[in-house]
Amino acid sequence: MRNHSVVSEFILLGLSADPQIQALLFVLFLVIYLLTLMGNLMLLLVIRADSHLHTPMYFFLGQLSFLDLCHSSVTVPKLLENLLSEKKTISVEGCLAQVFFVFATGGTESCLLAVMAYDRYVAISSPLLYGQMMNRQLCMGLVWGSWSLAFLDALINILVALNLDFCEAQNIHHFSCELPSLYPLSCSDVSASFTALLCSSLLHFFGNFFLIFFSYVRILSTILRISSTTGRSKAFSTCFSHLTAVIFFYGSGLLRYLMPNSGSTQELIFSLQYSVVTPMLNPLIYSLKNKEVKAAVRRILRKCV
């Protein structure tokens, strides 16, 4: 940080100032975090242990579970700490580090959801060539590309944000550090950082959303050409879990970053949805109605018994 930046730490005002409500929230979010860890680790273990799930679809699903573990762990531990602490502070450097990793993990998940949409399109439109087209080399390249693009995007945003100066205001009306929450606290010009954030949102997130939308248009046109009702139903069912995950992620994440920063209840709810709740729900979304995952769990349990 620059030498003339006066503020060395921020105060995260969080979700409530009432100690009793804070205690209840601590228990609630601790349970959610533990369920997130257990659910995603269990899904990773099942995918790793059962050879029937060694397919591109479940390879990408394993990556999504790992991402959800990372994304949740960036914000929830600090949230839990602040709910128990009277001094709800975070250093400027720690705050910017949190911003970086929220960007990096969230951006990677955005790319990965677009990759998974393409995977579903190939599986439905060319089932006989699916294994050949979605080979291991391509899958690894798509995953590494997702991570690289997201980290590059996060690095650009954080390098521009490092030029911001914070002189007096310290209170962040949020439970975690997010770039839009820092703009009202800056005593320097935020236009460069805001422009970088806007461009990355338009190019990165909306670009991925367009790829997902285009993939589902092609998927829908392919499904409508299937003559049998059973075939259509099976094709739709393979996309249901992914489509649900996309709605949860984009429905809350994009709304949070596009709405004006005000510290409102609605803003906090959107942030909680994509950073705390969605990582817990994804393993349930992909396992409750997934016969292959259920069968894999039964096979593993039989081996253990």
Side-chain angles (χ1 to χ4, degrees):
M1 299 298 296
R2 292 169 176 254
N3 292 331
H4 55 273
S5 292
V6 176
V7 173
S8 61
E9 61 183 18
F10 297 123
I11 300 171
L12 294 168
L13 297 181
L15 302 171
S16 174
D18 189 325
Q20 292 183 334
I21 295 178
Q22 286 181 5
L24 292 174
L25 289 174
F26 174 83
V27 174
L28 173 63
F29 291 123
L30 178 61
V31 170
I32 289 175
Y33 186 54
L34 292 176
L35 289 175
T36 300
L37 295 178
M38 289 188 294
N40 286 288
L41 286 173
M42 281 293 293
L43 196 53
L44 280 169
L45 178 64
V46 170
I47 293 171
R48 178 79 175 177
D50 193 276
S51 59
H52 294 83
L53 301 183
H54 293 175
T55 63
M57 173 183 171
Y58 291 103
F59 171 73
F60 293 132
L61 181 55
Q63 294 293 320
L64 183 65
S65 290
F66 177 70
L67 266 173
D68 282 335
L69 286 173
C70 296
H71 191 63
S72 181
S73 297
V74 170
T75 55
V76 179
K78 186 62 179 177
L79 167 62
L80 293 173
E81 177 192 336
N82 285 344
L83 286 172
L84 291 181
S85 174
E86 291 185 8
K87 190 180 180 183
K88 307 177 189 303
T89 58
I90 184 171
S91 67
V92 172
E93 293 81 5
C95 187
L96 290 173
Q98 192 176 66
V99 168
F100 174 81
F101 285 109
V102 166
F103 252 101
T105 54
T108 306
E109 185 158 343
S110 173
C111 290
L112 192 60
L113 288 171
V115 168
M116 293 172 77
Y118 174 71
D119 172 71
R120 290 299 82 210
Y121 165 66
V122 175
I124 291 172
S125 63
S126 307
L128 298 178
L129 299 174
Y130 175 63
Q132 182 180 348
M133 293 177 67
M134 298 299 295
N135 56 68
R136 183 167 180 79
Q137 185 178 2
L138 177 62
C139 291
M140 290 295 293
L142 290 170
V143 168
W144 278 110
S146 298
W147 281 97
S148 301
L149 283 173
F151 268 77
L152 178 62
D153 183 37
L155 184 62
I156 291 171
N157 274 279
I158 208 65
L159 287 176
V160 178
L162 283 173
N163 292 317
L164 297 177
D165 297 317
F166 304 99
C167 303
E168 294 179 3
Q170 286 183 285
N171 293 338
I172 298 178
H173 296 273
H174 210 278
F175 61 87
S176 67
C177 288
E178 294 182 354
L179 202 48
S181 301
L182 298 183
Y183 293 151
L185 307 183
S186 176
C187 55
S188 57
D189 185 16
V190 301
S191 59
S193 180
F194 178 78
T195 302
L197 175 63
L198 183 61
C199 289
S200 68
S201 298
L202 291 174
L203 294 175
H204 194 93
F205 288 96
F206 278 106
N208 287 325
F209 184 77
F210 173 76
L211 292 175
I212 293 170
F213 179 77
F214 181 72
S215 295
Y216 271 99
V217 169
R218 300 294 298 272
I219 287 170
L220 184 60
S221 65
T222 302
I223 290 175
L224 293 176
R225 290 198 299 266
I226 299 174
S227 55
S228 67
T229 306
T230 306
R232 287 184 183 180
S233 177
K234 186 176 180 180
F236 271 121
S237 66
T238 62
C239 300
F240 175 79
S241 298
H242 176 263
L243 196 56
T244 305
V246 168
I247 291 170
F248 272 114
F249 180 80
Y250 278 95
S252 55
L254 281 180
L255 286 173
R256 163 65 186 101
Y257 275 88
L258 292 178
M259 68 188 303
N261 186 70
S262 60
S264 65
T265 303
Q266 188 180 22
E267 180 184 317
L268 292 174
I269 289 173
F270 284 141
S271 293
L272 285 170
Q273 174 65 52
Y274 80 81
S275 64
V276 180
V277 179
T278 298
M280 178 193 69
L281 292 179
N282 277 342
L284 297 176
I285 292 169
Y286 278 97
S287 59
L288 286 179
K289 288 195 173 185
N290 192 311
K291 294 179 181 179
E292 291 177 327
V293 172
K294 290 180 180 178
V297 171
R298 286 194 292 269
R299 284 191 292 268
I300 293 172
L301 289 176
R302 279 198 297 267
K303 289 179 182 179
C304 293
V305 175

